[in-house]
Each structure stands twice: as structure tokens, then as C-alpha cells.
């Protein structure tokens, strides 16, 4: 059959150990650019040193979960290309990384004891 089928692990991460703080900051800036959202609305978590076996090998690899309210499917190729470039910096080749895209509804994301939808309605506009 054509296409790529992948079994998703329970948790995103990379088996690269000791990912530098500068890389995480760079990812935050890049996410801000590709999502067209202020960096103050970006949250990045990197689980480095994960026990990750990818494609039958323990060589450097990564699993990324990318969540963004309002993301369009047409954005996925650009986002994927951006992450492929970033991952090279920590030694993860693009063919050893999967990205799972998720565009939650603003009613499904909470912040400040409310939801983004309710905060937006209250004119306390927050763009995630």
C-alpha cells in the first residue's frame, strides 16, 4: 500500500540527551513566527533523553506534538519544514521525526481559570 503509517507513542520527546536551553528558546521564536502569534502566547516543552526507538533504531529521533488554535491544514507543510530545519541542529534528521498536528477549539483550551473562548468573549483577548 502507498503512504506512511505510524504508530504514535504516548508522549512526545527526543532521545537526544541534554538539549540546550538555547535550542528551546529558538523553537519558541520559530513557533511564534510560523503561527503568527506573539511569543508570549507560545509554550514549548522538550522532553530530552527519552527512551525512543524509531524505525528499528535508537539513533537520534523525535516525536513532536504541535497544537495551535486556528491552525489550517494548509499550514502543515510549512510547519513541518520549519521543524525539520530546527531538528538538524540537535542531530535529528528529518526522516527520523514525526509531527502530530492538533488544532483544538478555543473552547477546549483553558487559561486563567477559564477557556480561551470565554476570555475572548470577555474582551480579554488572548491568541494562542
Amino acid at each position: 500500500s502507498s503512504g506512511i503509517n505510524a504508530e504514535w507513542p504516548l508522549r512526545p520527546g527526543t532521545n537526544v540527551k541534554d538539549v540546550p536551553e538555547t535550542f528551546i528558546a529558538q523553537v519558541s521564536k520559530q513557533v511564534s513566527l510560523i503561527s503568527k502569534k506573539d511569543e508570549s502566547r507560545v509554550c514549548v516543552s522538550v522532553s530530552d533523553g527519552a527512551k525512543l526507538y524509531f524505525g528499528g533504531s535508537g539513533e537520534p529521533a523525535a516525536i513532536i506534538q504541535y497544537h495551535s488554535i486556528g491552525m489550517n491544514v494548509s499550514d502543515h507543510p510549512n510547519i513541518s519544514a520549519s521543524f525539520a530545519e530546527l531538528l538538524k541542529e540537535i542531530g535529528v534528521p528529518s526522516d527520523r521525526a514525526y509531527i502530530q498536528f492538533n488544532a483544538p477549539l478555543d473552547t477546549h483550551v483553558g487559561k486563567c481559570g477559564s477557556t480561551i473562548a470565554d476570555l475572548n468573549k470577555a474582551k480579554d483577548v488572548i491568541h494562542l
Side-chain angles (χ1 to χ4, degrees), residues 1 21-22 34-35 44 54-56 63-64 78 85 89 96 100 109-111 113 115:
S1 92
E21 192 81 23
T22 54
I34 60 180
S35 67
V44 174
F54 186 106
I63 299 293
I64 298 168
N78 253 355
E85 285 301 311
E89 295 184 27
R96 294 195 46 81
Q100 180 184 31
V109 179
K111 186 173 181 176
T115 66

Side-chain angles (χ1 to χ4, degrees), residues 41-82:
R41 306 297 183 219
V42 172
C43 180
V44 174
S45 174
V46 175
S47 298
D48 54 357
K51 293 183 181 191
L52 178 61
Y53 211 68
F54 186 106
S57 162
E59 294 298 313
I63 299 293
I64 298 168
Q65 290 182 346
Y66 184 88
H67 306 270
S68 181
I69 294 171
M71 175 177 48
N72 294 311
V73 172
S74 62
D75 296 332
H76 295 178
N78 253 355
I79 296 166
S80 185
S82 292

Side-chain angles (χ1 to χ4, degrees), residues 41 111-112 115-127:
R41 306 297 183 219
K111 186 173 181 176
C112 301
T115 66
I116 299 302
D118 287 342
L119 291 169
N120 283 335
K121 284 180 196 169
K123 306 290 183 208
D124 185 12
V125 179
I126 296 177
H127 299 284

Side-chain angles (χ1 to χ4, degrees), residues 12-14 19-35 37-48 63-67 83 86-87 90 128:
T14 179
V19 171
E21 192 81 23
T22 54
F23 175 77
I24 300 167
Q26 191 174 359
V27 170
S28 181
K29 286 182 187 338
Q30 189 64 29
V31 167
S32 174
L33 289 172
I34 60 180
S35 67
K37 296 176 183 175
D38 190 90
E39 193 174 2
S40 67
R41 306 297 183 219
V42 172
C43 180
V44 174
S45 174
V46 175
S47 298
D48 54 357
I63 299 293
I64 298 168
Q65 290 182 346
Y66 184 88
H67 306 270
F83 277 109
L86 284 167
L87 289 171
I90 58 168
L128 290 180

